[in-house]
Amino acid sequence: MHETGELVRQYRVVRRIGRGGMGEVYEAEDETLRRRVALKTIRAEERPSAREKSRFLREARILSRLDHPGICRIHDYIEGEDRDHLVLEFIRGRTLSDLEFPVRGRLGLVEQLLRVLAVAHENDIVHRDLKPDNVMVTDTGVLKVLDFGLARPGARLRGDADTVSAGGGPIVPADGVGDTFTIEAGILGTPAYMSPEQARGEPATSASDMYSCGLIIHFLLTGTGAYGEPGNVVRLLDRVRDADVLPLPGVDPDLADLVARLTHRSPGARPSAESALIRLRRIRTKRSRRHRRIALAAAVIVLLLGGLKYTRDLRFERGRADEQRARAEDLFGFMLGDLGPRLEEVGRLDIMDGVGNQALRYFAGRDTTSLDVGDTRRLARTLNLIGEIRMKRGQPDSAEVAFRRARELLRARAVAARGDAEAQALLGSTEFWLGSVAYGRGDLARATECFRTYHRISRELVSADPTEPRWRQELAYAQTNLAAVYRANGETASALLVLDEAIAAKRALLADDPADADLRSSLANSEAMMAEVQSEAWRFREALEHLHRARLLAEEALASSPLDAELSSRCSTLLQREGVMLLNLGHVGDARPLLERDLDLARELVGREPENVDWRVGYAISLATAMRAAVYADRVDEADALRREWTERGADAGTGTDGILARASVAREIARLDLSRGRPADALRGLGSSLAELEPRVATSGRCRISSLRSLALAMAAACLTGEAARYDAARDRFATLWADGAGVDGDAPAVASRRDWAWLTGDEEIVETTSGRLDGAGWAAPAEGWLRRLIAGSGKVDEHELVFPCR
């Protein structure tokens, strides 16, 4: 046993974090590379033979070269006199055994596990002791497989059983540690998760891993072992040899069949990891359509003209026959559902207001007590269409009336028996819209409740009919909506897990139908949302990967529809965000071409529709970011040309909060340019005007507060260079006040980077060290700090080492 502070080669022990069958596990500090590691001791009696060690080290080298995110990295193997040590990646998280049930995103975890096994098996590496305790989920939702290749034939295993006879020889008695056992002349393993061939003393193969994987899936689905409570280890081993696994009632039939195949008694009958992965993806995702298409506009017009006459003749009298009621309700559905999208394309949804009002009055007087399932579906669908149109018209209150009425109908009638999938799907759609209304109002509790119901219904539909393509896409939509509320609630880990499921589903769907533009757009949105959540979790490199994928999807869509203004705007936004992330990670050269394309798109949009405020705001942000990249690249002439362009276009971004923030971004980059040009007085003047515009909104807008913090740090530098002590003091004190009063600002990386600049400018070395450690640890390498220090040091007005300013 090691003591805290003890040194094992260059690894200093921090604390013991667990025990295993081979020895203790410690958290340790690698004093050479300055990183945390897990130090696993291997007792003398458990040391592998020379042959086994050679095999293990070979596999460790292969695993290290693979550098797969789902495999716990092996850093080193240390041989000692009384024990050996294995140096592993240090992982913060929980094993599958420690997860709370039901496990959220469990099929996403299974997919991650299968991906790991596919890579390992492709490289002829077998785990040999796969079980929930050897699989961890990190705090950010990434699955990690531990102890790859560490199990070995002929080992003496420790467990908590009595000495019994089984198969090839006696089982070693327990010492109270773990749940693994040894069959002498047999195979190391954990009975509840070993394969039948391992229980018979035969060598473990990749098929053995797949059997254990099937048992892990069974565990994740049920929360209990696949063999139930066999009573003692002898009975358990008998069941293992016979592959006597409990059935999975109530589980998606395709998923239950996959588990059955994985846990087949014969190794040759089990699917490979790659085959199981393909099958799992098919189970999780199938192509569906959300929107219907209209074939001919002429047909719509003809039907509309005829329908209007028929509507007048009906006068919505309740005394009409059932057939006439059905025709009237079908007409409402046609006008709202088929005609609505056409009117939306030409910006005339206002025409639908009268139709919606008439429909609501009609349904208010409709006797619903004797409705059959078909009638209920028809009425609920029409009510939902009314609500959707009103949502698009910016009328959430009146939309909610229609959605609530639809939900009442569906709950009271067709859904009561839960036997009608179409009615269930309608209810799920209704819950989605009600959740959207609540989300728009900021009522996160109600939105979460509605989105969870939508998710549950979609999941039930998939379980009941996995072959129906629409339900899979509904489930992917539901996962995305859940992620949005989890994110808003600050549940980052949950948001990441659910988004990972949604993205995997949509990628598979798009692979089946690459021409589906709606699906491509939906996937791009999910990738972009994942990037936002990853950024909020300070996982900037991962965020960059998702931004890159989202941007490529948007550019593919734009290439197919180059005149689509919304696609151009979306593509511009994603180019800008990816470029900014590259700047923040220190890749100025890679960022500049993206930001140039972004600015070209933004210019085009403003030129196409100059009065569009959204386009003007986007253009201002794009221009500001391009200016910053030019200054960081020491291309001040390019930045100067962009400033002139901004002035010549009228410097207009609207009067709303977005416009004020956009102008503040431009003002900061112009100030950065002025400082680079040696014009600190001009920089200070421009920043002062911008800060005055931001000030009235900082109390109510977190974005304005963060923007002010960023501008104040630059204002302090400008005041220092001009020698204006009063303005320096004012900027310094205002920054300190905004930081102290700003709940959550310490989670925003640009704000933290500005605080680092503020601390450096004030000479607070402790805060400089703290903020630098946090930013550097997350990979944040924006050149702003280095640029600012070089600028001020080059001015000769500050001693870079003493951090003493002449104005103070």
Side-chain angles (χ1 to χ4, degrees):
M1 182 171 177
H2 294 297
E3 299 296 331
T4 299
E6 184 178 343
L7 201 61
V8 180
R9 198 181 285 176
Q10 76 264 33
Y11 305 102
R12 189 169 299 279
V13 173
V14 176
R15 63 189 177 98
R16 192 177 80 165
I17 55 178
R19 284 187 72 191
M22 305 183 78
E24 293 81 21
V25 183
Y26 299 87
E27 178 183 351
E29 177 78 16
D30 183 340
E31 297 196 336
T32 301
L33 298 178
R34 297 296 179 189
R35 64 182 175 185
R36 287 296 166 101
V37 298
L39 193 64
K40 174 174 282 192
T41 65
I42 303 177
R43 292 189 295 267
E45 64 271 23
E46 300 293 346
R47 285 176 174 173
S49 66
R51 180 180 177 183
E52 292 162 355
K53 186 184 297 182
S54 174
R55 187 265 305 161
F56 167 71
L57 291 176
R58 176 183 61 81
E59 294 188 1
R61 293 187 191 103
I62 295 173
L63 290 168
S64 295
R65 285 199 303 272
L66 291 177
D67 197 28
H68 192 282
I71 297 174
C72 177
R73 293 176 180 85
I74 301 172
H75 298 313
D76 202 355
Y77 191 98
I78 302 172
E79 295 184 273
E81 293 182 3
D82 59 342
R83 74 189 80 184
D84 292 353
H85 294 84
L86 191 62
V87 185
L88 304 166
E89 173 188 2
F90 183 71
I91 301 170
R92 299 183 187 278
R94 293 182 292 175
T95 68
L96 294 186
S97 301
D98 295 330
L99 294 180
E100 295 180 2
F101 276 80
V103 176
R104 187 173 291 152
R106 53 195 177 186
L107 291 190
L109 296 177
V110 172
E111 184 168 333
Q112 290 187 61
L113 175 58
L114 287 171
R115 287 200 295 263
V116 170
L117 292 175
V119 170
H121 292 170
E122 185 180 353
N123 287 272
D124 296 324
I125 299 174
V126 180
H127 191 286
R128 300 177 180 84
D129 190 21
L130 200 61
K131 57 186 176 182
D133 284 339
N134 276 338
V135 181
M136 289 189 71
V137 180
T138 71
D139 293 342
T140 54
V142 176
L143 180 139
K144 294 271 190 180
V145 180
L146 315 180
D147 288 354
F148 242 114
L150 195 56
R152 64 192 191 281
R156 290 170 56 84
L157 296 188
R158 302 183 181 275
D160 53 358
D162 296 328
T163 301
V164 294
S165 176
I171 294 178
V172 174
D175 65 357
V177 180
D179 58 353
T180 53
F181 302 83
T182 297
I183 304 173
E184 290 186 357
I187 295 292
L188 169 69
T190 305
Y193 288 94
M194 67 168 55
S195 65
E197 58 271 21
Q198 285 175 286
R200 292 192 296 267
E202 299 168 9
T205 65
S206 59
S208 307
D209 280 355
M210 298 314 299
Y211 186 92
S212 301
C213 180
L215 297 180
I216 288 175
I217 299 174
H218 195 294
F219 168 73
L220 287 174
L221 293 173
T222 63
T224 59
Y227 298 106
E229 298 294 337
N232 60 56
V233 70
V234 176
R235 193 171 303 157
L236 172 59
L237 287 171
D238 286 341
R239 294 190 63 176
V240 171
R241 293 190 189 97
D242 293 335
D244 185 13
V245 176
L246 293 173
L248 286 168
V251 172
D252 176 327
D254 284 347
L255 185 57
D257 182 65
L258 175 60
V259 174
R261 289 176 181 271
L262 287 168
T263 55
H264 197 283
R265 189 173 187 275
S266 171
R270 299 170 203 154
S272 67
E274 187 64 35
S275 297
L277 181 59
I278 292 170
R279 187 162 182 187
L280 179 67
R281 286 171 175 166
R282 287 175 179 168
I283 291 170
R284 296 182 67 202
T285 59
K286 292 179 183 177
R287 184 175 60 86
S288 73
R289 302 288 185 196
R290 176 176 282 264
H291 304 291
R292 290 174 293 171
R293 295 194 174 109
I294 303 173
L296 297 172
V300 172
I301 295 171
V302 170
L303 286 170
L304 172 62
L305 293 175
L308 288 174
K309 178 181 183 302
Y310 181 71
T311 305
R312 286 197 302 272
D313 292 342
L314 281 176
R315 296 182 180 279
F316 310 110
E317 295 179 7
R318 279 179 283 163
R320 298 286 184 174
D322 289 343
E323 181 182 354
Q324 290 176 318
R325 282 201 302 269
R327 291 173 67 188
E329 291 158 11
D330 283 341
L331 179 61
F332 280 135
F334 159 74
M335 294 176 70
L336 294 162
D338 289 348
L339 181 61
R342 284 292 179 185
L343 292 174
E344 183 180 5
E345 289 177 7
V346 296
R348 293 305 310 276
L349 276 176
D350 56 305
I351 294 174
M352 289 289 97
D353 283 347
V355 178
N357 289 333
Q358 286 182 320
L360 282 177
R361 285 196 296 271
Y362 171 78
F363 291 136
R366 179 77 158 89
D367 180 11
T368 61
T369 57
S370 59
L371 290 179
D372 61 17
V373 172
D375 287 338
T376 301
R377 283 203 309 259
R378 183 168 56 246
L379 264 64
R381 186 176 292 112
T382 304
L383 286 163
N384 275 350
L385 287 169
I386 294 169
E388 288 183 41
I389 288 172
R390 293 186 171 187
M391 288 289 286
K392 292 172 183 175
R393 295 269 294 148
Q395 302 166 357
D397 292 342
S398 59
E400 186 178 23
V401 173
F403 294 138
R404 286 189 178 279
R405 177 65 174 142
R407 181 165 67 179
E408 290 169 5
L409 274 173
L410 290 164
R411 284 182 172 177
R413 307 300 305 163
V415 179
R418 307 183 80 79
D420 187 279
E422 294 292 341
Q424 281 289 100
L426 269 172
L427 179 58
S429 179
T430 305
E431 293 288 353
F432 158 74
W433 283 111
L434 286 168
S436 299
V437 171
Y439 190 84
R441 290 176 179 155
D443 187 349
L444 293 180
R446 180 62 57 84
T448 302
E449 178 185 350
C450 292
F451 287 154
R452 279 178 174 163
T453 303
Y454 174 34
H455 183 259
R456 175 184 56 76
I457 291 170
S458 301
R459 194 174 61 245
E460 288 174 355
L461 286 168
V462 170
S463 296
D465 187 1
T467 63
E468 172 54 52
R470 290 174 295 164
W471 309 155
R472 288 297 181 183
Q473 188 147 335
E474 287 295 338
L475 182 55
Y477 290 145
Q479 289 162 340
T480 303
N481 288 312
L482 260 187
V485 291
Y486 285 148
R487 177 192 175 197
N489 282 319
E491 300 176 56
T492 302
S494 296
L496 288 171
L497 282 171
V498 177
L499 265 179
D500 187 60
E501 290 184 358
I503 287 172
K506 292 177 183 179
R507 284 178 187 167
L509 292 169
L510 190 60
D512 289 342
D513 187 2
D516 191 328
D518 290 340
L519 188 54
R520 181 178 289 104
S521 176
S522 179
L523 175 56
N525 290 339
S526 294
E527 294 276 13
M529 184 189 295
M530 175 67 94
E532 292 175 3
V533 180
Q534 297 274 27
S535 294
E536 290 165 1
W538 286 52
R539 294 170 56 178
F540 302 120
R541 293 187 182 89
E542 292 92 336
L544 179 61
E545 293 175 5
H546 288 283
L547 277 174
H548 180 69
R549 286 194 284 264
R551 189 256 301 173
L552 291 179
L553 288 165
E555 287 186 324
E556 288 173 6
L558 184 60
S560 302
S561 305
L563 299 180
D564 189 317
E566 290 296 333
L567 278 177
S568 292
S569 176
R570 183 66 174 155
C571 199
S572 172
T573 298
L574 290 169
L575 281 163
Q576 191 264 343
R577 289 179 56 196
E578 186 178 353
V580 167
M581 186 62 70
L582 284 166
L583 286 180
N584 291 338
L585 295 177
H587 306 299
V588 178
D590 294 332
R592 295 190 71 225
L594 298 183
L595 295 173
E596 288 170 3
R597 282 155 55 195
D598 161 40
L599 185 54
D600 286 341
L601 283 175
R603 287 170 178 147
E604 179 189 340
L605 286 167
V606 171
R608 188 187 306 185
E609 193 177 342
E611 67 278 6
N612 189 311
V613 176
D614 290 338
W615 299 165
R616 296 204 303 268
V617 166
Y619 164 70
I621 295 172
S622 298
L623 185 138
T625 311
M627 285 182 67
R628 178 164 30 134
V631 171
Y632 285 168
D634 293 324
R635 302 289 186 95
V636 290
D637 289 341
E638 289 181 22
D640 226 355
L642 293 174
R643 171 169 53 185
R644 290 194 299 272
E645 177 182 335
W646 171 249
T647 304
E648 290 166 3
R649 282 184 177 266
D652 182 16
T655 58
T657 298
D658 288 341
I660 291 172
L661 287 166
R663 278 193 295 277
S665 295
V666 176
R668 267 195 305 276
E669 302 318 320
I670 291 175
R672 207 183 304 274
L673 173 61
D674 284 334
L675 289 171
S676 296
R677 289 285 200 184
R679 300 192 292 253
D682 292 342
L684 192 56
R685 189 161 43 251
L687 287 168
S689 299
S690 175
L691 284 164
E693 188 177 24
L694 283 167
E695 185 61 29
R697 300 183 185 240
V698 295
T700 56
S701 170
R703 292 187 299 155
C704 288
R705 183 180 297 110
I706 289 170
S707 183
S708 290
L709 288 168
R710 298 175 68 185
S711 297
L712 284 164
L714 274 179
M716 287 173 63
C720 183
L721 291 171
T722 60
E724 298 182 54
R727 299 190 72 172
Y728 170 85
D729 287 347
R732 177 199 61 198
D733 295 343
R734 185 57 181 153
F735 187 104
T737 300
L738 284 181
W739 183 269
D741 294 344
V745 294
D746 60 343
D748 183 82
V752 173
S754 294
R755 190 172 192 235
R756 178 173 60 180
D757 291 341
W758 171 87
W760 182 76
L761 289 164
T762 59
D764 192 328
E765 294 182 83
E766 183 178 350
I767 293 180
V768 169
E769 183 177 353
T770 302
T771 52
S772 294
R774 187 178 176 194
L775 290 163
D776 294 345
W780 186 276
E785 182 201 14
W787 170 84
L788 189 61
R789 292 191 180 202
R790 289 194 307 273
L791 176 76
I792 294 179
S795 71
K797 296 190 176 183
V798 60
D799 185 320
E800 186 177 12
H801 301 290
E802 295 298 327
L803 300 173
V804 176
F805 291 86
C807 55
R808 296 310 323 131

